[in-house]
Amino acid sequence: MKSKLNKKYSVLVLLFVLCSMLLITACFPAGIDSSVINDERLTVIAFDVDQADCIYIHTPQDENILVDTANNSDGQEISNQLYNLGVKQIDYLFLTHPHADHIGGADDIIKNFDIGKIYMPKVYHDTQTYMDVLNAAKNKGIKIQEAKPQIITLNACTINMLAPIKEGYDDLNAYSIVFKLTYKDFDMLFTGDLPKQEEGELLNCDLQADILKVAHHGSNDSTSENFLRQVGCEYAVISVGEDNSYGHPNDDTLVLLEKYNVKIFRTDLQGDIIITTDGKEVNIENVL
Amino acid sequence: MCCKKAVIDRFEGQTAVCELENKQFINVNKKLFNYTAKEGDHILIHKTYVIRDEQYHSRKIDLDEYFDK
């Protein structure tokens, strides 16, 4: 009888331990933590945010930059990821253009963090998602900076904003903020969802970069051969959702990248993509 | 309710990605539109067709209120 009770008790304890472990795992999902940040290296993380964009940059001088904020439902999850990385303040928030898969989580991010400067193209979009971002900034007393060609000098890096260069586009993708991040000999080109036609307007700029954030999730509306040739990158990062219904990334884009021997990293296949560099050597890892 | 009110956030190929009033998103085939739609249009989504929401009046927003001068 006593042995039976002991057995029951052991099973209950075991169940309790298992449930507790499951609960802890659910509350604190595995992910990237602050150990990936090295104060002597530039770190760029393309978060796996399904069919959307969100890229975090940590500079060697401890500046935090966020490029896009994925969809509406992602704001809190991105905040949690940034908390795990030890981020308390975002010095620069770039919202490349007003589509919801790029700015959706921005209202949560603006509410949750101290924000330095917010850059957006000055173009109106009549969605609630867009208004929520404007109002979140206004409620915090932040005036948004208009994105236009300019150089932003950070402590150890520079951001050369190349676009948007014009107004009056029909397609909001055409307003995408394009910038080159430079740290010593390392360059990475961020392109938002810039279409091929507007890529053509940048061909006289210095586009050369080690890594290209492929525009528009690898759509064949973006990444022309001329543009890719000018960038001359060794690596490409594609932020894209697994089995998305839009056919991203397009086969033509992948074939073009392969033609130029570009090594492709995809968030749908490889999860979070972590790039670190000392300004010379580049290391790219992924976390599924 | 006869239809869903939405606004076109963007186009992805033949798909209009639309924001509903509750900020959820749905994909609508462009073939269902009875007119040439563009981003930011407010629409009424019926089961087999989509029309412009003629009752909707755009917000009057001055971006200078939100952007640094």
Side-chain angles (χ1 to χ4, degrees):
Chain A
M1 181 71 179
K2 200 174 178 182
S3 154
K4 265 189 180 175
L5 275 175
N6 276 343
K7 204 172 176 181
K8 265 188 181 174
Y9 180 73
S10 301
V11 170
L12 280 173
V13 168
L14 190 64
L15 273 172
F16 176 77
V17 170
L18 282 172
C19 288
S20 302
M21 285 169 71
L22 278 172
L23 193 64
I24 289 167
T25 309
C27 291
F28 302 99
I32 305 168
D33 61 29
S34 58
S35 63
V36 301
I37 304 292
N38 178 326
D39 283 340
E40 291 171 8
R41 294 173 74 86
L42 175 73
T43 305
V44 179
I45 302 172
F47 288 123
D48 176 12
V49 284
D50 202 38
Q51 182 65 18
D53 267 22
C54 180
I55 300 177
Y56 166 71
I57 301 164
H58 181 266
T59 74
Q61 295 288 327
D62 206 25
E63 290 144 318
N64 296 302
I65 302 164
L66 197 63
V67 186
D68 288 331
T69 56
N71 284 300
N72 286 329
S73 56
D74 296 320
Q76 200 51 53
E77 176 59 26
I78 295 165
S79 297
N80 292 340
Q81 294 261 35
L82 294 173
Y83 294 145
N84 286 345
L85 288 163
V87 176
K88 294 184 178 68
Q89 171 174 325
I90 294 165
D91 300 283
Y92 298 91
L93 174 59
F94 294 94
L95 300 173
T96 59
H97 63 290
H99 286 154
D101 56 333
H102 291 255
I103 66 164
D107 51 346
D108 287 331
I109 296 293
I110 293 166
K111 283 173 202 158
N112 291 343
F113 292 89
D114 290 334
I115 306 286
K117 287 187 172 177
I118 301 172
Y119 286 86
M120 294 175 78
K122 195 173 180 181
V123 57
Y124 179 64
H125 192 29
D126 200 4
T127 62
Q128 192 56 49
T129 299
Y130 181 75
M131 285 311 303
D132 287 348
V133 176
L134 293 191
N135 286 325
K138 190 176 182 182
N139 291 340
K140 270 204 145 174
I142 302 169
K143 284 278 191 182
I144 297 164
Q145 305 297 308
E146 180 181 355
K148 53 189 171 189
Q150 60 193 293
I151 292 176
I152 301 167
T153 305
L154 310 178
N155 288 323
C157 305
T158 56
I159 289 173
N160 187 357
M161 195 183 292
L162 305 170
I165 55 175
K166 287 199 304 201
E167 293 174 3
Y169 297 113
D170 288 333
D171 176 5
L172 287 172
N173 285 334
Y175 285 90
S176 286
I177 296 177
V178 176
F179 70 84
K180 183 151 93 165
L181 171 71
T182 300
Y183 173 52
K184 295 181 182 172
D185 295 335
F186 171 83
D187 300 287
M188 181 165 176
L189 190 67
F190 296 79
T191 53
D193 278 358
L194 192 74
K196 281 177 180 170
Q197 189 170 331
E198 285 69 33
E199 288 176 357
E201 295 172 0
L202 300 179
L203 291 178
N204 59 351
C205 299
D206 175 13
L207 299 173
Q208 193 283 320
D210 302 281
I211 302 180
L212 170 68
K213 198 295 290 184
V214 175
H216 203 177
H217 323 285
S219 158
N220 65 350
D221 294 339
S222 300
T223 318
S224 68
E225 184 158 6
N226 277 346
F227 186 79
L228 183 64
R229 197 185 297 120
Q230 289 257 29
V231 177
C233 55
E234 194 176 347
Y235 307 101
V237 174
I238 304 178
S239 186
V240 64
E242 192 176 359
D243 297 328
N244 66 82
S245 56
Y246 311 132
H248 296 163
N250 188 276
D251 285 345
D252 291 345
T253 307
L254 297 176
V255 167
L256 183 66
L257 290 165
E258 282 161 15
K259 178 180 169 184
Y260 284 86
N261 297 316
V262 178
K263 191 166 182 200
I264 303 165
F265 291 85
R266 293 171 50 168
T267 57
D268 59 334
L269 302 179
Q270 291 155 295
D272 298 326
I273 310 292
I274 306 170
I275 300 155
T276 60
T277 178
D278 60 0
K280 287 193 170 84
E281 301 297 320
V282 178
N283 184 54
I284 307 181
E285 295 171 31
N286 67 298
V287 177
L288 272 173
Chain B
M1 200 165 98
C2 67
C3 58
K4 290 175 181 168
K5 286 187 175 191
V7 53
I8 302 171
D9 180 60
R10 64 189 187 274
F11 292 102
E12 300 287 1
Q14 287 306 302
T15 303
V17 183
C18 302
E19 181 192 64
L20 299 171
E21 289 177 295
N22 62 3
K23 280 182 71 182
Q24 296 294 306
F25 282 78
I26 58 166
N27 290 334
V28 179
N29 194 316
K30 270 170 96 171
K31 285 180 186 165
L32 297 182
F33 285 76
N34 76 344
Y35 75 104
T36 307
K38 61 183 193 308
E39 292 176 341
D41 280 357
H42 283 252
I43 55 174
L44 300 173
I45 305 170
H46 294 261
K47 209 167 186 179
T48 55
Y49 63 96
V50 178
I51 57 173
R52 191 196 300 269
D53 183 356
E54 303 288 355
Q55 301 300 312
Y56 178 78
H57 299 289
S58 285
R59 299 178 179 99
K60 287 189 168 43
I61 297 296
D62 180 4
L63 285 180
D64 286 339
E65 276 183 33
Y66 300 91
F67 280 74
D68 206 5
K69 284 175 186 164

